[in-house]
Amino acid sequence: MDKVLEDIKKYNLIDGGEKIAVACSGGQDSMALLHFLWTNKDKLNCEISAVNIDHSIREVSAQDSQFVINYCKKNGIKIHNFKVNAKQFSEDKKLSLEQGARECRYRVFKSLVTKGLVDKIALAHHTQDQAETILLNIFRGTGIAGASGMDFKRDDIYIRPFLNVSKTEIKAYIATNEIPYVEDETNHDNEYNRNYIRNQIMPLIRNRWPNADGAISAFGKNCRQDEEYIQSNIMDDAILHEVGIARIYTNYFVYHDAYVFRLILRALGCIGISQNIETKHLKLIKAMAIEAENGTKISLPNGLTVIKEYNFITFTNRQIKVSNKTYPFSKGKIDISNFGVIDTIVTKKMDIKGYNHLVDVTKVPKDAIWRFRKDGDTFEKFGGGTTSLSDYLIDKKVPVRLRNTTPVLAIGNEILIIAGIEISKKVKVDKETKLAFGINVMKF
């Protein structure tokens, strides 16, 4: 098992002084990892603890959790133990039990890290798990990203020190060190996809190709190298993003699918979407970018909306409701629902620099209000000429998505300011202006 210490160093899995929690179910793999890291904690200069989660799926799950708790107490190992209702969670989220249980686990792991109780979570995945994961992803229809399998480190939080270790080596380590463990009877339930691969498919493959696990894992490493190379060629400035919104220039969609699909996935990652997006969705988005008319909108899983907005394809999972609320025009900061902050000051300097808008104090009626657009609104353009607000926003290529959520300063149906976009000719400063309102618009 010396190669585990070598891999920890090679892949920089553990830094000196870190608090590492081993995800421990009580089975062979996780008990071996807990024992190994605990035994080598001084060499690694780190703190080791265990985290156990009772998923409430099996009748004996509480007994297995107690087994881990007792083992840790006997050996002086700190333990973080939790209980979740994976079945109920899966039903509420409309997930399979496998998916739901996994999400429950990772929510617990994330909370431990967020609260600063641990720095990293050590997972006991090994070479056989890697081979199963790669096959499972292939059967689901993955590209080379999924065929890469698991990495030694993910998000700088999750580490897999045993990824180069075989199941045979783990069993030998368990026997040599007389490490107790429990058996999870659901490991033999072939209704679960992973178990079906593990118990039915892999034994047949290994019977013909004994080194299948290593060969599949090596294939995964090759895929990872290719994926990393392609990803390194994606230009970060191709994506513009803010909270809940990401945009890609439409001219990038003429490139090869291998590039475009990864660009889309990276944009989705910017707004926190990493699951349930399939190749058919990626093809649909690319076709929309190239062929669809402006304003075309499609809805996809995870509450994702994709919109063609002039020179951009916009991805958003923000759910914004149009508000009827109004806000009196005043000095200072106004927090406008679902939009941002409008900050207004009075100034004698007639210099637009530093402001979004500069308007004459005497030309803004005292009863003017900030609100959202309505039918019948009109706007006298800065350069002259009156038009409907709707037509003006179209001319300015303001996306449909933003037209009802951009505040306007109005007096009746007359629009004086479109926040962050333009002011009316009626309120502009001129050579007679003595005082001006300097207005800054800060969107969420």
Side-chain angles (χ1 to χ4, degrees), residues 27 39 62 99 123 125 142 147 159 185 217 238 272 279 297 309 317 319 384 392 398 416 435 442:
T39 302
Q99 292 173 320
L123 307 171
H125 296 120
T142 189
I159 59 174
E185 72 278 5
S217 296
T279 301
K297 179 190 299 185
E309 297 179 337
N317 54 1
Q319 303 299 319
Y392 181 80
V398 176
L416 305 176
L435 285 176
M442 295 163 280

Side-chain angles (χ1 to χ4, degrees), residues 144 221-231 262:
I144 65 171
K221 290 179 182 178
N222 291 336
C223 290
R224 182 173 299 281
Q225 289 177 346
D226 291 350
E227 177 68 13
E228 289 173 351
Y229 174 76
I230 298 173
Q231 290 286 355
R262 285 168 175 80

Side-chain angles (χ1 to χ4, degrees), residues 321-328 334-338 369-374 404 407-408:
K321 294 182 179 179
V322 178
S323 174
N324 293 320
K325 189 174 181 180
T326 62
Y327 306 80
I334 302 174
D335 191 342
I336 296 184
S337 176
N338 294 320
I369 59 172
W370 289 108
R371 62 167 172 81
F372 299 100
R373 73 167 181 156
K374 295 180 180 179
N404 290 328
V408 293

Side-chain angles (χ1 to χ4, degrees), residues 305-353:
T305 301
V306 186
I307 316 163
K308 186 168 185 178
E309 297 179 337
Y310 300 103
N311 296 326
F312 293 94
I313 295 296
T314 298
F315 307 85
T316 180
N317 54 1
R318 289 176 61 182
Q319 303 299 319
I320 299 177
K321 294 182 179 179
V322 178
S323 174
N324 293 320
K325 189 174 181 180
T326 62
Y327 306 80
F329 181 80
S330 64
K331 293 183 292 182
K333 294 181 179 180
I334 302 174
D335 191 342
I336 296 184
S337 176
N338 294 320
F339 177 77
V341 174
I342 295 178
D343 188 12
T344 303
I345 67 165
V346 176
T347 180
K348 293 182 178 180
K349 295 181 179 180
M350 302 299 120
D351 188 355
I352 188 63
K353 291 179 181 178

Side-chain angles (χ1 to χ4, degrees), residues 125-126 129-131 133-134 146 148-152 160 163 194 224:
H125 296 120
H126 48 76
D129 292 322
Q130 178 76 301
T133 297
I134 291 170
S148 301
M150 299 175 285
D151 202 357
F152 277 91
R160 299 182 174 92
L163 207 53
R194 181 175 291 275
R224 182 173 299 281

Side-chain angles (χ1 to χ4, degrees), residues 52 54 56 58-67 69 83:
N52 174 264
D54 177 0
S56 306
R58 301 175 297 122
E59 292 183 6
V60 297
S61 62
Q63 296 176 28
D64 291 352
S65 289
Q66 192 59 51
F67 164 81
I69 293 169
K83 184 171 184 175

Side-chain angles (χ1 to χ4, degrees), residues 227 230-231 234 255-263 286:
E227 177 68 13
I230 298 173
Q231 290 286 355
I234 294 177
Y255 295 148
H256 193 281
D257 287 356
Y259 184 95
V260 173
F261 291 175
R262 285 168 175 80
L263 185 60
K286 182 177 181 181

Side-chain angles (χ1 to χ4, degrees), residues 28 36 62 83 120 185 219 237 372 383 393:
Q28 283 186 345
F36 181 87
K83 184 171 184 175
K120 289 174 181 171
E185 72 278 5
F219 165 74
D237 58 3
F372 299 100
L393 294 175

